Amino acid sequence: MIPVSVVIPTRNEAANLAHCLEALRGFDQVVVADSASSDATVAIAERYGASVVPFTWNRAYPKKKEWSLQHPIVRNDWVLMLDADEIVSPELVDEIAALIKKGPPCAAYFIEGRFVFLGEALRFGHRNCKIMLVDRRRTRFPHPNDLDVPGGWEVEGHYQPLIDGPIGRMRASLLHWDRKPAAAYFGRHDLYADWEARLAERGVLAKLTENESWTRRALKTAFRVTPCRWLVAFLHSYVLKLGVLDGAAGFHFAMARAFYYWQIALRRRTLAADARNAGEARNVGDAQIAPLPVAGRKS
């Protein structure tokens, strides 16, 4: 068995979890941190021999991933942090096994995720890359000012953990395959968009990339201030990354990614309009309660 603990945060992930767990049979331990799922998530986890740990968020830090890393049930120093809709490839399992056997020279590793969209594994287009294999003794998460943000729920947002040491990159990849209905996909990204828009207004997003390499930080900063990000995102996925070669699935994936960045832009405009309208309402209210002039008195 590979001496790595796999940690998976869940909440109503019955549609995805079995496929995720099936690929993890070679690992020493699998821990499912579950938030009161009302579907068969817990039963599926137990059927595959995973340790299920209940999680109830107290609206404070640490959030779910960091809390899971610190939990005493996790018995290995090296942890693979997965989402329930991520499936490790046999090549990635073998690479992790070889790395742990010889002794990892880095404190954490990026892993690339290839998307499955409309039931098709995309060969081209945009791919995500996250720090997922970590030495938990040298790993923590940022605590951005997002506890009051509606989209700032129990799990950490779109930012990387902070690593005390060098960060490497695995050659093999995994599949990002969400089998939930499309409504769940767009609902989740609606929350993500609201979260990112509010943190952008607070000037917090730039601080979340301070621990990343100069190249990644520069690219994210440039993209954050690029006009019409939705269009840039579409062209990046569909043209630059050759998503056009994935046919209809590649087109619709690029459109979905563009729509996400359009949502962020719309939310930022909405927040600005709300703040402007609130200020105008206060001014109107102040004028309405201003003291009336007294007859015969000079102003």
Side-chain angles (χ1 to χ4, degrees):
M1 304 296 284
I2 305 170
V4 168
S5 295
V6 183
V7 173
I8 308 171
T10 61
R11 186 174 191 176
N12 294 331
E13 289 290 350
N16 294 312
L17 188 58
H19 303 277
C20 175
L21 296 177
E22 183 67 35
L24 301 175
R25 295 184 182 276
F27 290 89
D28 172 61
Q29 181 187 31
V30 177
V31 177
V32 171
D34 186 70
S35 301
S37 290
S38 58
D39 62 5
T41 294
V42 171
I44 293 171
E46 292 174 343
R47 187 168 72 240
Y48 278 88
S51 300
V52 179
V53 180
F55 175 78
T56 302
W57 189 35
N58 61 359
R59 304 295 305 181
Y61 300 114
K63 291 190 176 184
K64 197 170 186 177
K65 290 184 179 180
E66 187 172 23
W67 178 89
S68 299
L69 283 180
Q70 299 168 352
H71 199 282
I73 199 174
V74 179
R75 60 175 175 249
N76 295 291
D77 293 329
W78 278 90
V79 172
L80 177 62
M81 298 186 296
L82 283 183
D83 292 333
D85 59 359
E86 293 172 329
I87 306 171
V88 298
S89 63
E91 295 79 11
L92 180 58
V93 173
D94 292 343
E95 187 178 0
I96 292 174
L99 176 70
I100 298 299
K101 183 176 181 179
K102 72 178 182 180
C106 297
Y109 291 84
F110 279 99
I111 297 176
E112 185 179 79
R114 297 171 51 233
F115 288 93
V116 176
F117 205 74
L118 298 181
E120 297 184 26
L122 302 182
R123 298 169 299 157
F124 304 97
H126 169 73
R127 298 182 179 183
N128 67 348
C129 196
K130 302 188 296 182
I131 297 174
M132 303 176 70
L133 181 63
V134 302
D135 181 344
R136 68 187 183 114
R137 298 166 297 181
R138 295 187 281 176
T139 303
R140 58 190 175 88
F141 277 83
H143 293 170
N145 181 24
D146 69 343
L147 294 179
D148 62 328
V149 174
W153 60 105
E154 63 178 15
V155 181
E156 288 81 355
H158 284 171
Y159 49 85
Q160 305 290 354
L162 302 174
I163 306 299
D164 182 16
I167 304 173
R169 178 166 177 157
M170 306 299 286
R171 293 186 301 274
S173 61
L174 54 77
L175 282 182
H176 191 122
W177 189 348
D178 188 358
R179 290 172 168 82
K180 292 182 180 179
Y185 172 90
F186 286 106
R188 185 170 65 253
H189 282 78
D190 185 58
L191 288 175
Y192 291 158
D194 184 73
W195 175 86
E196 185 166 333
R198 291 176 185 271
L199 263 63
E201 291 300 307
R202 297 179 181 184
V204 175
L205 287 180
K207 296 180 181 179
L208 294 177
T209 63
E210 290 178 350
N211 191 53
E212 299 187 33
S213 67
W214 182 89
T215 303
R216 285 177 62 90
R217 193 165 62 248
L219 287 173
K220 288 184 177 182
T221 300
F223 184 55
R224 195 176 298 122
V225 298
T226 298
C228 296
R229 284 204 298 169
W230 63 271
L231 179 58
V232 174
F234 175 83
L235 294 175
H236 173 264
S237 292
Y238 195 62
V239 179
L240 183 62
K241 291 295 183 178
L242 302 179
V244 62
L245 299 180
D246 282 318
F251 171 78
H252 289 294
F253 176 76
M255 285 294 293
R257 186 165 179 249
F259 181 68
Y260 171 64
Y261 287 104
W262 174 82
Q263 284 179 290
I264 296 172
L266 178 63
R267 289 300 176 86
R268 294 195 67 175
R269 288 179 179 272
T270 301
L271 291 172
D274 290 345
R276 184 171 60 251
N277 292 337
E280 292 174 354
R282 283 194 298 270
N283 292 336
V284 171
D286 291 343
Q288 289 176 342
I289 64 174
L292 296 174
V294 178
R297 180 183 296 176
K298 294 182 179 179
S299 58

